[in-house]
C-alpha cells in the first residue's frame, strides 16, 4: 500500500516536471509551434497514457488476487475453527452415549432427558456437516481404525464398534475405532 502511494507520488512529481518542461519549451518557442512538434507531444502523451493504463491494469489485477487470497485464507481459518469446535463436542456426545448405556435401559425422566439432549446435540452437529461414519458396509481404512480382531466376524467385516467415527463436510474428523474379522 505504501509502495503504491510512493509510486503515485513519484509519478505525480514526474508529470509535474514534464508539464513544467513542456510549459517552458512552449513559452520559449511560442512563435515556432509547428505541426511536427505537436505530433511529437501527442505521441509522447499517448505513450504515457499507455504506460499508465498498463500500471492501472496491473494494480487492479494485484488487488483482485489479494482479495481472492484473503477469502481463501478466511475460509480455511473458518473450517479449521469449526473442525476444532466439532472435535471438542464429540467428547460430550461420547459421554452422553455412555450415560445412556450405563442406565441399563431403566426408563426414568433423567434417562429421557439425556436421550433428548443427545438427540438435540446430534441434530445440531448434522446442521453444520458433522455426520456419523457408516460402519455397516464393511471395513474402510479411510474412515475406520482397526484396534483388534473379532473372531466371530467374516474378514473385512466390522464386528464391534468401540467408538463412533465422524466426518465434517465429507472430511474425516475422527475415525471409528472398530474390531474387524480376520
Amino acid at each position: 500500500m505504501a509502495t503504491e502511494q510512493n509510486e503515485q507520488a513519484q509519478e505525480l512529481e514526474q508529470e509535474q516536471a514534464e508539464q513544467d518542461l513542456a510549459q517552458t519549451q512552449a513559452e520559449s518557442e511560442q512563435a515556432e509551434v509547428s505541426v511536427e512538434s505537436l505530433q511529437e507531444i501527442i505521441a509522447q502523451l499517448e505513450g504515457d497514457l499507455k504506460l499508465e493504463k498498463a500500471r492501472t491494469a496491473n494494480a487492479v489485477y494485484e488487488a483482485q488476487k489479494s482479495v481472492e487470497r484473503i477469502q481463501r485464507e478466511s475460509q480455511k481459518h473458518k473450517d479449521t475453527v469449526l473442525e476444532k469446535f466439532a472435535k471438542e463436542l464429540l467428547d460430550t456426545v461420547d459421554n452422553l452415549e455412555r450415560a445412556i448405556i450405563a442406565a441399563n435401559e431403566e426408563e426414568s425422566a433423567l434417562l429421557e432427558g439425556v436421550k433428548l439432549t443427545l438427540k438435540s446435540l446430534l441434530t445440531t452437529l448434522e446442521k453444520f456437516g458433522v455426520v456419523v461414519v457408516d460402519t455397516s458396509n464393511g471395513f474402510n481404512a479411510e474412515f475406520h481404525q482397526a484396534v483388534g480382531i473379532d473372531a466371530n466376524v467374516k474378514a473385512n467385516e466390522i464386528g464391534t464398534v468401540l467408538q463412533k467415527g465422524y466426518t465434517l463436510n465429507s472430511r474425516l474428523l475422527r475415525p471409528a475405532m472398530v474390531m474387524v474379522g480376520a
Side-chain angles (χ1 to χ4, degrees), residues 7 16 24 29 62 70 79 96 103 107 112 119 133 138 147 160 169 179:
E7 288 177 3
Q16 185 63 36
T24 2
E29 300 176 2
E62 290 296 325
I70 289 169
D79 290 345
L96 290 172
E107 290 300 318
E112 189 64 28
K119 182 179 178 182
V133 170
V147 293
T160 307
N169 298 326
M179 302 283 283

Side-chain angles (χ1 to χ4, degrees), residues 24-48:
T24 2
Q25 287 176 352
E27 290 172 358
S28 65
E29 300 176 2
Q30 276 183 349
E32 292 185 22
V33 174
S34 67
V35 174
E36 292 84 20
S37 65
L38 292 176
Q39 288 176 341
E40 288 176 12
I41 293 172
I42 290 172
Q44 180 182 2
L45 291 174
E46 286 175 344
D48 291 345

Side-chain angles (χ1 to χ4, degrees), residues 68-80:
E68 290 171 4
R69 187 189 85 250
I70 289 169
Q71 287 174 340
R72 279 192 312 270
E73 289 175 359
S74 173
Q75 185 61 40
K76 185 177 178 181
H77 178 69
K78 198 165 74 172
D79 290 345
T80 302

Side-chain angles (χ1 to χ4, degrees), residues 165-177:
Y166 293 89
T167 60
L168 172 64
N169 298 326
S170 301
R171 289 187 354 243
L172 185 64
L173 189 60
R174 179 177 83 183
M177 297 177 75

Side-chain angles (χ1 to χ4, degrees), residues 111-129:
L111 179 60
E112 189 64 28
V114 172
K115 286 180 179 180
L116 289 174
T117 302
L118 177 61
K119 182 179 178 182
S120 174
L121 181 57
L122 289 174
T123 302
T124 302
L125 286 172
E126 285 179 10
K127 285 181 186 177
F128 290 95

